Amino acid sequence: MRPCVALLSCRPVTLPTAVASAPPEFAADGPLLIVLNAGSGRADADETQRTISAILDAAGRPHEVLRIERGMDVAQVAAEAVRRAQGRRGAVVAAGGDGTLNAVAQVVLPAGLPFGVLPQGTFNYFSRAHGISSDTEQATRALLRARPEPVQVGLVNERLFLVNASVGLYPQLLEDREAYKQRYGRSRLVALWSALVTLLHVYRPLRLQIECQGRQQPVRTSTLFVGNNRLQLQQIGVPEADLLAEGQLVALMLRPVRTLAMLGLMLRGAFGRLGEAEDVLRFGFERLGMRPAAPRRTARVKVATDGEICWLRAPLTFRVSPRPLWLLTPLPEDRVEPA
């Protein structure tokens, strides 16, 4: 029998959370505090900064660039950007990949400031889903005319995620992929090879206690993946992606399967057909509790949020944030359709 079948009915009926907060004060000529990750993506950070500054200077838009160099704490730099933007009707802009966006948004969200994006990463799921170009020049020009719009974000305990959060095999895949990238460079081939190596090792499935809409049920799964990005879910073939527009998150749980079957699931996802797999359970929710079935007194769980690994104390609660992130969204004529 497939696990956790009862949770398929976990459908809240509340209105989307992201419309419940008043928009922040924002001036079209307000300062832009740009947090630039010098190590994101493949572009030269100095050239990226020159491009951004040249466009903003030509437009007469006040701005400051706060660079994140190797070894620096992203949260501290983002907090300084928030401090400088507050009271000036300005905005904080993250220039980096999804991990950088996550770290900066973690600080911006409670401050209630507008949040801008200049994508510099490899996948850029968050920016692409909102029509923001991956070309720095084009994205900067669009930022000049962008206006704040409420965007739903997810939380696992109090940690924010823009794209996805997960426990189990998926965080291990991400951790191993990063180690391989450090040794062999960033490429899709390296990412694929690291995934194959990870899957060839024996991985013990998770035994979890899941709670949703007042129902509790034990499950056994190789991974629990929670999505908050319509583009990513659509690309792997998950029809529940439309539930995000209803103020929900989307959960995927994979049955424990052998290596060859897991490779088959990966191929289905690569070809946009994961939703057809019988070994994947999918459902929408607004709040989902999770803990190890036999937790230790101080149980900690490895969690991936937007590609970054952390350890959180159990139990975990996945939920829609009670406040939206006010994203500086391009005007319709500046939007770029995701490739």
Side-chain angles (χ1 to χ4, degrees):
M1 177 178 292
R2 297 176 68 187
C4 200
V5 173
L7 293 180
L8 283 170
S9 61
C10 183
R11 296 285 186 86
V13 294
T14 54
L15 292 174
T17 306
V19 299
S21 178
E25 290 190 7
F26 176 68
D29 59 350
L32 300 176
L33 281 299
I34 302 166
V35 180
L36 170 64
N37 189 343
S40 287
R42 302 175 183 174
D44 177 77
D46 293 333
E47 180 61 30
T48 298
Q49 182 172 343
R50 284 193 292 269
T51 299
I52 295 170
S53 292
I55 294 171
L56 297 181
D57 285 340
R61 186 67 173 268
H63 68 281
E64 299 178 51
V65 178
L66 288 72
R67 286 176 58 127
I68 304 167
E69 304 290 353
R70 184 181 298 274
M72 295 178 66
D73 188 330
V74 180
Q76 288 185 359
V77 178
E80 177 62 20
V82 166
R83 187 188 68 79
R84 297 186 190 185
Q86 284 176 324
R88 300 170 62 190
R89 300 176 69 191
V92 175
V93 179
D98 284 330
T100 302
L101 270 55
N102 176 295
V104 177
Q106 185 81 35
V107 182
V108 172
L109 181 68
L113 291 173
F115 177 67
V117 172
L118 294 173
Q120 304 292 313
T122 303
F123 296 103
N124 298 321
Y125 276 117
F126 180 74
S127 56
R128 289 164 60 205
H130 295 285
I132 300 172
S133 173
S134 295
D135 178 80
T136 300
E137 181 176 345
Q138 190 172 354
T140 305
R141 295 189 186 282
L143 184 64
L144 285 168
R145 304 200 302 165
R147 294 294 178 266
E149 297 289 343
V151 170
Q152 172 178 294
V153 298
L155 297 175
V156 49
N157 290 2
E158 296 307 312
R159 188 175 180 87
L160 171 151
F161 60 95
L162 302 172
V163 180
N164 60 58
S166 58
V167 299
L169 180 59
Y170 190 69
Q172 189 63 50
L173 286 168
L174 293 176
E175 193 170 53
D176 292 346
R177 184 181 72 185
E178 190 59 32
Y180 269 73
K181 285 182 177 180
Q182 293 292 331
R183 294 181 61 184
Y184 303 111
R186 293 181 177 272
S187 73
R188 294 182 184 272
L189 184 60
V190 170
L192 177 60
W193 177 252
S194 70
L196 291 174
V197 172
T198 303
L199 292 177
L200 289 174
H201 286 77
V202 177
Y203 184 81
R204 181 177 299 176
L206 300 173
R207 295 182 180 274
L208 306 175
Q209 189 75 19
I210 300 292
E211 179 180 357
C212 186
Q213 294 294 94
R215 298 180 178 180
Q216 294 193 24
Q217 186 169 342
V219 300
R220 187 168 175 265
T221 179
S222 60
T223 194
L224 167 62
F225 178 96
V226 177
N228 185 46
N229 185 275
R230 184 173 182 176
L231 175 62
Q232 185 182 50
L233 292 173
Q234 287 177 334
Q235 285 189 343
I236 62 176
V238 176
E240 286 78 8
D242 291 341
L243 295 178
L244 298 177
E246 300 177 17
Q248 299 184 42
L249 301 170
V250 176
L252 285 75
M253 288 194 291
L254 276 60
R255 291 179 58 190
V257 296
R258 295 182 180 275
T259 300
L260 286 178
M262 184 62 73
L263 289 173
L265 290 175
M266 289 181 62
L267 287 174
R268 282 180 178 271
F271 287 98
R273 299 175 56 189
L274 190 63
E276 302 173 7
E278 294 183 357
D279 291 319
V280 180
L281 177 68
R282 317 176 311 274
F283 57 93
F285 69 91
E286 204 171 72
R287 188 182 187 93
L288 177 71
M290 185 226 83
R291 62 177 175 81
R296 298 187 299 274
R297 182 174 298 179
T298 57
R300 295 196 309 154
V301 181
K302 183 188 293 186
V303 181
T305 56
D306 298 340
E308 302 296 320
I309 305 297
C310 66
W311 289 85
L312 299 179
R313 191 177 303 278
L316 302 183
T317 301
F318 298 86
R319 61 191 176 100
V320 175
S321 170
R323 65 168 66 186
L325 183 68
W326 288 92
L327 178 67
L328 290 175
T329 306
L331 297 178
E333 56 268 33
D334 294 331
R335 288 179 59 89
V336 175
E337 290 299 321

